[in-house]
Amino acid sequence: MSSSSRKARRQRAPLVWALPAVVVAFLFHYAAVAAGGWYAFTDWNGLTTPNYVGLANFRAILTNPDAVGALVNTLSLAVGFVIATNVIGLMLALALNAKLRSRFFLRSLFFAPVAISSLAIGYVWQFILEARGPLNTLLGLLGLQSLQRVWTADPTFSLWSVWLVMVWQFAGLCMAFYLAGLQSIPVELNEAAAVDGASSWRRFRRITFPLLAPAATISISVTTILGLRAFDQVMSLTRGGPGYASETLTTQIYKQTFVFGNFGYGAAFALVLTFLVLAVSGTQLLVLRARENRL
């Protein structure tokens, strides 16, 4: 057997090994998603035979104020979440990239919430934010009784209570992305700039921040998807209430499908969310990659 034929055989082998996993993923993921997408165009209630209704479910979503409100809440929560987690994560990474003796312990401490169940974190924070919870107790001790409220039951603050919990949980994930980026930057670049008299801010703006572009691309893309798909935190803290104040697309999918039995309508919500995630994250990725190439 010639060397070229042996090489071609070795190249084909990994593809054969991957084939069973590809088939399983197609059957249990992509085929299921495609079937769910078809139900979005029907009036299926989970029991009877589905009837094709065309775009009726999508028209109902666009004309329903509660559905439009859920879309606005989803986008507001995602934008605030992406900005806050990336700013805080970057600040933590810059602080813990220094040679502190406790830096490894602090990195683990800030990253720990990422590894904990979102539902568990939501229920803990529900206790913290309730009427007689630790937060209101602390505000009372500080003489700030005017700020006390039932945070998750207040229409003005319920959505931002969810935002607070999500930022607290995932800021450590962004920190890990930015730490990896910082540790890939050659120390000599900053040292040479310092010798030339560049200030800390100028070194950060001209050297560190541009070289963090790949880490920023990953961090922003991941947090965008997490923000748009937020579900566990909303359900454990507010269940979309009070009223529809903290309703999101994910909670609408759950309620319409499993609470009200409107499987076709719920599938339409799921399809809207899928295309929203693809459109936002795809556009974002293209813009951030283009920015990387310009730097």
Side-chain angles (χ1 to χ4, degrees):
M1 182 181 294
S2 65
S3 60
S4 60
S5 60
R6 285 197 299 268
K7 184 178 179 180
R9 187 175 179 179
R10 284 196 299 270
Q11 290 175 342
R12 286 196 299 270
L15 296 177
V16 174
W17 297 336
L19 187 60
V22 171
V23 172
V24 170
F26 176 80
L27 291 177
F28 290 94
H29 182 71
Y30 298 107
V33 170
W38 180 79
Y39 284 121
F41 300 93
T42 70
D43 62 355
W44 190 43
N45 60 9
L47 298 173
T48 60
T49 302
N51 298 308
Y52 180 77
V53 294
L55 299 175
N57 289 327
F58 299 96
R59 285 195 292 269
I61 291 174
L62 294 175
T63 56
N64 185 347
D66 297 330
V68 175
L71 175 60
V72 172
N73 286 342
T74 299
L75 293 174
S76 301
L77 182 63
V79 170
F81 171 70
V82 170
I83 293 172
T85 49
N86 280 275
V87 170
I88 295 172
L90 178 58
M91 293 171 65
L92 289 173
L94 291 170
L96 297 180
N97 193 46
K99 296 188 180 300
L100 300 172
R101 296 183 63 180
S102 60
R103 66 186 183 279
F104 297 113
F105 169 74
L106 292 174
R107 290 174 186 175
S108 301
L109 184 66
F110 286 117
F111 187 79
V114 180
I116 302 174
S117 165
S118 295
L119 276 175
I121 287 176
Y123 287 126
V124 170
W125 273 93
Q126 186 184 52
F127 164 71
I128 294 172
L129 298 172
E130 67 181 11
R132 297 185 179 181
L135 179 58
N136 282 335
T137 301
L138 177 61
L139 291 173
L141 293 174
L142 296 174
L144 300 174
Q145 288 85 355
S146 61
L147 297 179
Q148 291 178 327
R149 64 193 75 243
V150 185
W151 298 91
T152 56
D154 189 314
T156 305
F157 294 98
S158 58
L159 184 65
W160 300 111
S161 298
V162 176
W163 169 82
L164 172 66
V165 174
M166 291 179 63
V167 171
W168 180 85
Q169 181 179 7
F170 290 107
L173 180 63
C174 294
M175 176 200 70
F177 290 138
Y178 287 117
L179 268 174
L182 286 170
Q183 292 175 2
S184 68
I185 298 174
V187 179
E188 295 80 7
L189 293 176
N190 276 298
E191 290 178 347
V195 170
D196 290 338
S199 64
S200 298
W201 168 247
R202 190 173 181 83
R203 293 200 303 272
F204 171 77
R205 189 164 62 91
R206 295 294 187 181
I207 298 174
T208 305
F209 189 69
L211 292 176
L212 278 176
T217 298
I218 296 172
S219 182
I220 293 173
S221 298
V222 170
T223 51
T224 297
I225 295 171
L226 288 172
L228 291 172
R229 295 174 60 236
F231 176 74
D232 292 348
Q233 298 86 352
V234 182
M235 291 301 293
S236 58
L237 285 164
T238 67
R239 292 189 175 274
Y244 290 89
S246 60
E247 199 79 65
T248 63
L249 290 177
T250 53
T251 58
Q252 277 289 295
I253 293 169
Y254 169 76
K255 290 179 180 179
Q256 294 296 335
T257 304
F258 300 108
V259 178
F260 303 125
N262 299 324
F263 282 76
Y265 191 46
F269 270 105
L271 202 58
V272 169
L273 178 60
T274 299
F275 281 112
L276 180 65
V277 171
L278 289 174
V280 173
S281 60
T283 303
Q284 192 179 66
L285 190 60
L286 290 174
V287 171
L288 292 172
R289 287 296 186 190
R291 175 180 172 272
E292 286 181 34
N293 295 332
R294 289 196 304 269
L295 294 175

